[in-house]
Amino acid sequence: MSIEFMVLIVVLTALVFDFTNGFHDAANAMATSVATGAFKPRVAVLCAAIMNLVGAFLSTEVAHTISSGIVDDSLVTPETVFAALVGAILWNLLTWLFGLPSSSSHAIFGALIGAVLYQAGVQGVHFSTVVSKILLPALVAPLVAGLASYLSTKIAYHGEHNAPKGAKKRYRMAQRVSSLLVALAHGTSDGQKTMGIITLVLVAGTLQLGDAGIATPWWGQAPGSSPHWWVILAAGSAIALGTYSGGWRIMRTMGKGMADIESPQGFAAETSAMAAILASSHLGFGLSTTHVVSGAVMGTGLARTPGEVRWGTAGRMMIAWLLTLPAAGLVGAAAAWLAHQGAWGFGTVIAILVIAAAAIKIAASRNHVSATNVNETHEVKVLAKTREGAKTLAKAVIAGDTHPIQNPLLPPLAHKLEGHPMEATPLRLTRLKRLKKTRIKSRRQETRKGGHRRKKRGPGSHIPGGSNA
Amino acid sequence: MATAARSGVPAATSRGVVMPRAIPGLVVAINWSALGQVAVVTVVVAVIIAALMSLSNWCLTPAEGATVTTPRKAVGYALMGVMALIVLGGLYLMIPYFH
């Protein structure tokens, strides 16, 4: 496989990771604002996307190492970077499916550790740096932000349960400002991350071509040079597009899943998160935005309604945090093994990534969360209707029940046919769907002609031979 | 909790069995000072901003059946101005172009 082709694949994968980073972290800035009504959902993600894009352009001083010293950078090849990106993308998608906020930075670090462990063993990983730069900040971030948010909330509510009179409107306004600042901070830091990855891959590719005696290509980059303008544009656009797509599942968990919050609480949480992010980045102790905001939301929930914090959701989220490094590491190691096999290995990794992404998307569509229903409930269900249908089916099979039951594979249509004789089989459901479409079409035609609508009939009355067989 | 660096040279026990002291190269150096500063600054800044906002809201909210007096309004808006300055300070810290 040519060096140019490999560089292209890695750059595209990096942009896909940036996109997933965008929708994964959209909730960090906007979840509380959407939950309290400070912003309408679509407006929130649009503003966050713009701030992310602006932030990406403001900060182009890319890191000279991908790993921040976690691994031996001399071992980081384009294949390693590719494997790390694949691991991080899959982990981001999986946690998105379950609506669990998790750190994209930790995902890529974990996948990178896995890839380097495969390549060079334990000698390639600086475990002391893993402890000081990943594990300890992951523990500290939610505690610090949670404490700040707890105290801020107590002050905002004057120790009462209900917000002071006239407060909500002003706090909503203030919340908009704090959310935009968090989105801007996210753009400056995370946009830079992908730019750094792409730049380093371009540098590595240029050096490899140089070693092979090939002249520097148009995308070539010398070590230590600033990123190309198109790298900045591409990385900034990818993260902005990802942010605009919403990440509604995570938005629901962050905004409503842990606690029901009001605008003073949202303001307290976002302000504490902002303070933690700025303090940590300037005092040399990087904290994950996701961990900080999640901790802040829990802190504010504890301050006002301690008995109503949903510890089940918080527990699942912390388990996801604990699993981020090992899970992404495993996938990174597997992807590194395949990528080092050659062109077919690369192709296999890409195929697995595409198939897994499609499967996750299909699973997510069974219990769709969007801008219109993000605040309806606090739960993010995964295949809930399919699971319930499968349980019912299993019980019926065991009991030898011959009555028609809901087809677990077609929940969107099945729930409309409860009790109907034809609810059982996929074939009949397909026929019914077609007949329904024909009815709707003919009704529309009649309405256009004379403005009269046919009287609604009961289900199945027009279906030829409609009986359960 | 910063552990001292170990040389990685195995130490002999009384039975003559050589045991490795530690994983070679495992030196966990944690900057507790920076961590402490981050925690303190975060809590202090968040509390200050919350207090300013709460006070500003109290100044601008009239009591039952009364209106907000002009001095009270002025104080309320002045506090909002202070918060706006803090926002600008945050932007200054965030945008690398300024430093």
Side-chain angles (χ1 to χ4, degrees), chain B residues 18-81:
Chain B
V18 174
M19 302 289 288
R21 278 181 186 268
I23 298 171
L26 182 61
V27 176
V28 183
I30 296 168
N31 191 346
W32 291 104
S33 157
L35 176 58
Q37 284 174 32
V38 167
V40 168
V41 168
T42 301
V43 172
V44 166
V45 168
V47 163
I48 287 172
I49 293 174
L52 286 172
M53 185 68 196
S54 182
L55 201 54
S56 166
N57 185 62
W58 179 78
C59 289
L60 294 171
T61 305
E64 210 60 56
T67 54
V68 181
T69 59
T70 306
R72 223 170 115 151
K73 253 193 212 173
V75 170
Y77 286 123
L79 289 169
M80 284 201 167

Side-chain angles (χ1 to χ4, degrees), chain A residues 214-237:
Chain A
I214 300 171
T216 305
W218 64 271
W219 48 261
Q221 188 129 22
S225 57
S226 298
H228 291 299
W229 65 268
W230 56 268
V231 171
I232 301 170
L233 181 64
S237 303

Side-chain angles (χ1 to χ4, degrees), chain A residues 411-427:
Chain A
L413 197 55
H415 80 272
K416 291 181 184 170
L417 300 177
E418 278 174 16
H420 191 276
M422 289 185 57
E423 69 183 303
T425 66
L427 179 61

Side-chain angles (χ1 to χ4, degrees), chain A residues 58-59 128 131 136 140 144 151-152 155 158 165-167 170-171 181 184-185 267 271-272 274 276 278-280 282-283 285, chain B residues 27-28 30 34-35 37-39 41-43 46-47 49-51 53-54 57 60-61 80 90-91 93-96 99:
Chain A
L58 286 176
S59 172
S128 56
V131 171
L136 189 61
V140 162
V144 166
L151 293 172
S152 309
I155 292 170
H158 305 166
K165 193 182 151 199
R170 291 193 196 95
Y171 274 106
L181 284 176
L184 186 64
F267 172 73
T271 304
S272 306
M274 195 66 242
L278 285 178
S280 64
H282 282 271
L283 294 172
F285 205 93
Chain B
V27 176
V28 183
I30 296 168
L35 176 58
Q37 284 174 32
V38 167
V41 168
T42 301
V43 172
V47 163
I49 293 174
M53 185 68 196
S54 182
N57 185 62
L60 294 171
T61 305
M80 284 201 167
L91 282 171
L93 288 174
M94 210 183 305
I95 298 170
H99 39 80

Side-chain angles (χ1 to χ4, degrees), chain A residues 395-414:
Chain A
K395 279 182 192 165
V397 166
I398 291 164
D401 193 348
T402 55
H403 284 102
I405 53 173
Q406 279 202 345
N407 187 328
L409 297 179
L410 287 173
L413 197 55

